[in-house]
Amino acid sequence: VPCTGTTAIGLVHIEGCRLSTAAADPFSHPAFTQNLPENGVSAPWFKVLVERFDCEGSAKGRYIELDSAANLRTQVRTAPNVKLGAYHLSEELAENMGGAPVPLLPSRWQDEGMPAPKHEYSFMTGVKLPEHLGSTNMAKGPDDAMYTGDPKKPQCGDLRVSFLAAKATVASAVATAAPVNL
């Protein structure tokens, strides 16, 4: 079915079409400019995921998603004018495309062989975090995420910040359509 094909019942079926964005400014994050690709991330969507290592309740021993921590917050940003073939995708449809971790670079202090920044720990509250988190006080882990502690031996309250982006370049969809929108 061609990228502009429609059916008689108001649905559009497009298959194997090129995905494009009109984003003039690729996604980035000001606290992690050392770690994210130099020219930003060009993708239909970009997600910052903030998590805390939990030591209580049903999530004990796992990372749980947080709304925010210090200067960071979990968020999804969608590029303007995401298109599949000739059709503009709704934000909801664009955000449902599969994603993958964004490859990160180590922080400069890691490249220079400096020791990891120490964070104060409190038995009652877990970790006491600095007011500003980013490249200067978080370490890149082997899974392309940033950590406040040792990624291999997390302690209560340690944070993990992951960056994810849509990975699709070709996609298919069946959707109801406005004249040029899905």
Side-chain angles (χ1 to χ4, degrees), residues 141-158:
D143 59 349
D144 278 321
M146 300 297 291
Y147 292 84
T148 57
D150 183 346
K152 296 176 185 171
K153 296 178 186 172
Q155 295 184 32
C156 297
D158 280 353

Side-chain angles (χ1 to χ4, degrees), residues 12 14 84 87-91 93 173-178 180-182:
V12 175
I14 50 179
L84 185 57
Y87 294 92
H88 293 274
L89 297 184
S90 68
E91 192 172 296
L93 192 55
V174 175
T176 57
V180 292
N181 296 314
L182 294 180

Side-chain angles (χ1 to χ4, degrees), residues 114-182:
M114 303 290 287
K118 299 287 183 202
H119 299 287
E120 293 179 31
Y121 285 88
S122 160
F123 177 78
M124 296 299 289
T125 61
V127 66
K128 180 179 179 187
L129 298 170
E131 286 184 23
H132 182 83
L133 292 167
S135 299
T136 59
N137 55 14
M138 293 184 78
K140 176 190 173 283
D143 59 349
D144 278 321
M146 300 297 291
Y147 292 84
T148 57
D150 183 346
K152 296 176 185 171
K153 296 178 186 172
Q155 295 184 32
C156 297
D158 280 353
L159 294 183
R160 173 172 67 189
V161 178
S162 304
F163 301 92
L164 306 153
K167 61 181 179 179
T169 56
V170 174
S172 301
V174 175
T176 57
V180 292
N181 296 314
L182 294 180

